[in-house]
Amino acid sequence: MWLCWKPLDMPCPNFCRLRKLQRRSFQVWVWMLSHLLSGRAMAISPSVVPTHGRTSAGSSIMGSTLLQHMLRLLQPGPKLSPGVAVEFAWCLHYIICSQVNNALLITHGALSTLGLLLLDLAGAVQRTEDAGLELLACPVLRCLSNLLTEAAVEAVGGQIQLGDERVVAALFILLQFFLQKQPSLLPEGLWLLNNLTANSPSFCTSLLSLDLIEPLLQLLPVSNVVSVLVLTVLCNIAEKGPAYCQRLWPGPLLPSLLDTLAFSDTEVVGQSLELLQLLFLYQPEAAQAFLQQSGLQALQRHEGEAQLQDRVHALRETALRG
């Protein structure tokens, strides 16, 4: 499948809450740096902060020792200050989005540091009801998602640095936390899951080994955005071939996909059709079950939709051949 980049200007549902945190002088400095990198340098006029200011700031940081200090201060442990970590995580997000030299970030161990921080956050949500944890989770998830799109990840074994099963398990703990406490952050976690599984059979294997397909399917009714991301992750798994589709089948997948075909959102339905096509290709028994469970009737409602009719026709042909 494809890797997804999280753009800089896409707001986090909780970013405005960052300003409500109590800050000491050091945190104020970090906050100002964060806003400069994001192009939000408070009330400074455009004539003072030129359009290339954000990139220049990012280049200056990459060429200094500040980057190493920033990553060190994000290391989990008793000395980790939640307020400072939140601000530094957003700084890191803006640096990554400036795309000055993300390969350098990766070689400095940013993926490893962020992966450990993700594990620490998952442990924290199991120990506390503190709703403020999502303030750190959001930028950490974005940083990881965007770094995984870089070509340098493979060169330095970035996927291996993260560790498969522990990261997947931690991510699902956070997804359950978001579902209960902050559903608007579910797309952030699913975006990362998509980028982890897009080019990595090992992360797909981890999802299957940990029996996380059913919990993933339970997120489908949350929203159309969440549904598309869940279906995309499942496509990432299915496209890895017959062995992976065999482990997806049988189970709750087909009934869930028949339910999504009743959705009115064309993007959700289109992604469902793509997943069904992969499933029928690699697991012919799924096509037979689809026909037995009135799958053709479910397809009929979308025959007249211009965006979907070609895929509907192709899926019908595949099902009947299977």
Side-chain angles (χ1 to χ4, degrees):
M1 292 302 291
W2 52 87
L3 292 163
C4 296
W5 177 266
K6 180 73 87 171
L8 174 63
D9 57 358
M10 183 174 287
C12 175
N14 293 295
F15 182 77
C16 59
R17 291 186 58 192
L18 296 177
R19 298 175 187 172
K20 298 178 184 177
L21 295 174
Q22 296 297 317
R23 298 179 176 83
R24 295 181 175 87
S25 57
F26 179 61
Q27 288 175 266
V28 172
W29 177 84
V30 177
W31 179 73
M32 290 174 67
L33 175 61
S34 174
H35 278 62
L36 175 62
L37 288 165
S38 68
R40 296 187 181 92
M42 295 182 288
I44 301 175
S45 72
S47 61
V48 179
V49 181
T51 54
H52 64 274
R54 182 169 64 218
T55 303
S56 298
S59 300
S60 298
I61 290 170
M62 297 296 275
S64 72
T65 59
L66 181 59
L67 180 61
Q68 292 95 311
H69 290 305
M70 189 183 296
L71 291 172
R72 180 174 54 79
L73 289 168
L74 283 171
Q75 287 280 352
K79 293 184 178 180
L80 181 69
S81 166
V84 172
V86 169
E87 301 293 4
F88 266 138
W90 278 110
C91 283
L92 198 57
H93 171 58
Y94 300 136
I95 291 168
I96 292 167
C97 286
S98 71
Q99 295 185 280
V100 174
N101 191 349
N102 286 341
L104 182 62
L105 272 171
I106 293 167
T107 56
H108 276 314
L111 277 172
S112 178
T113 296
L114 290 164
L116 289 171
L117 197 50
L118 187 75
L119 297 178
D120 194 61
L121 280 167
V125 300
Q126 292 179 300
R127 294 190 300 269
T128 180
E129 294 292 324
D130 183 12
L133 290 167
E134 77 275 6
L135 295 174
L136 181 55
C138 183
V140 168
L141 291 168
R142 288 193 180 187
C143 287
L144 280 168
S145 295
N146 285 340
L147 282 179
L148 286 170
T149 66
E150 298 291 332
V153 170
E154 277 192 47
V156 299
Q159 298 276 15
I160 298 171
Q161 285 182 32
L162 286 173
D164 302 333
E165 289 200 356
R166 289 175 64 205
V167 166
V168 170
L171 188 49
F172 268 81
I173 290 169
L174 289 174
L175 288 173
Q176 288 300 313
F177 174 75
F178 295 155
L179 182 62
Q180 297 166 16
K181 303 289 184 180
Q182 198 73 40
S184 59
L185 283 179
L186 282 170
E188 305 286 348
L190 290 168
W191 202 310
L192 174 57
L193 190 60
N194 173 68
N195 285 4
L196 286 170
T197 55
N199 295 322
S200 173
S202 60
F203 275 106
C204 295
T205 299
S206 294
L207 269 171
L208 294 166
S209 300
L210 294 170
D211 294 323
L212 293 172
I213 300 303
E214 190 165 354
L216 193 60
L217 291 171
Q218 290 170 1
L219 299 177
L220 283 171
V222 173
S223 70
N224 289 335
V225 171
V226 167
S227 294
V228 169
L229 286 166
V230 167
L231 292 166
T232 304
V233 170
L234 292 169
C235 283
N236 290 346
I237 298 171
E239 74 163 6
K240 301 298 185 291
Y244 288 84
C245 285
Q246 190 173 16
R247 295 185 67 179
L248 286 172
W249 180 266
L253 180 59
L254 183 59
S256 297
L257 291 177
L258 287 168
D259 288 342
T260 61
L261 290 178
F263 284 28
S264 58
D265 185 86
T266 55
E267 196 174 357
V268 173
V269 175
Q271 202 66 13
S272 298
L273 295 173
E274 183 171 345
L275 179 53
L276 284 166
Q277 189 72 259
L278 288 166
L279 198 60
F280 295 172
L281 176 65
Y282 294 125
Q283 194 70 21
E285 295 92 334
Q288 296 168 15
F290 180 78
L291 295 174
Q292 292 167 4
Q293 296 180 39
S294 305
L296 293 182
Q297 290 89 322
L299 291 178
Q300 283 178 352
R301 65 175 293 171
H302 303 291
E303 286 179 338
E305 297 175 42
Q307 293 175 281
L308 298 173
Q309 54 189 199
D310 288 345
R311 280 178 284 179
V312 168
H313 177 73
L315 186 64
R316 181 189 288 109
E317 292 298 308
T318 303
L320 292 171
R321 277 199 315 269

